[in-house]
Amino acid sequence: MKKLFALLLVVVLTFSLVACGGEKETTIVGSWESVDMAGAVYNFGEDGKGSYEYMGTTMEFTYTDDGKAVAITYTNATNPNTYEYTIDGNKLNIKDDLGNTVVYEKK
């Protein structure tokens, strides 16, 4: 009986530790560098502000994020650009205006 109890205790503790592992981080907050376009970097701050850097130019923006799409409003623009995205580990996959997927890697 003691062996059975010990075995059950080990199984329960094992599953409880696995459950505590949590989910992978899937936030867009951070810096993301394009895999295909050298020097293209999105920076998303926790405060809903960010920047896009490419070819020596930096464009500031504000953004909202619902976990599936990000709406970016560049400074001096009136309408946001909305992009669907997914995060897979350290990869940010953004669907551009033409429906192409652009891959960024977390810096």
Side-chain angles (χ1 to χ4, degrees), residues 51-98:
S51 63
Y52 179 71
E53 303 167 15
Y54 186 58
M55 296 179 63
T57 301
T58 300
M59 299 184 329
E60 304 290 325
F61 60 79
T62 58
Y63 74 95
T64 57
D65 172 31
D66 69 4
K68 295 179 183 176
V70 59
I72 297 173
T73 305
Y74 290 96
T75 303
N76 299 326
T78 54
N79 295 320
N81 296 322
T82 302
Y83 305 103
E84 293 179 4
Y85 75 87
T86 59
I87 297 176
D88 184 18
N90 69 335
K91 304 278 191 211
L92 170 65
N93 305 295
I94 296 179
K95 204 174 266 192
D96 69 12
D97 294 332
L98 302 174

Side-chain angles (χ1 to χ4, degrees), residues 5-53:
F5 178 73
L7 179 62
L8 286 173
L9 183 59
V10 168
V11 170
V12 169
L13 289 174
T14 301
F15 283 113
S16 66
L17 288 175
V18 169
C20 290
E23 296 180 21
K24 291 181 180 178
E25 185 178 337
T26 57
T27 180
I28 200 167
V29 172
S31 294
W32 302 87
E33 185 169 10
S34 175
V35 171
D36 298 318
M37 299 184 316
V41 178
Y42 270 110
N43 298 296
F44 294 96
E46 292 181 4
D47 59 357
K49 295 179 182 177
S51 63
Y52 179 71
E53 303 167 15

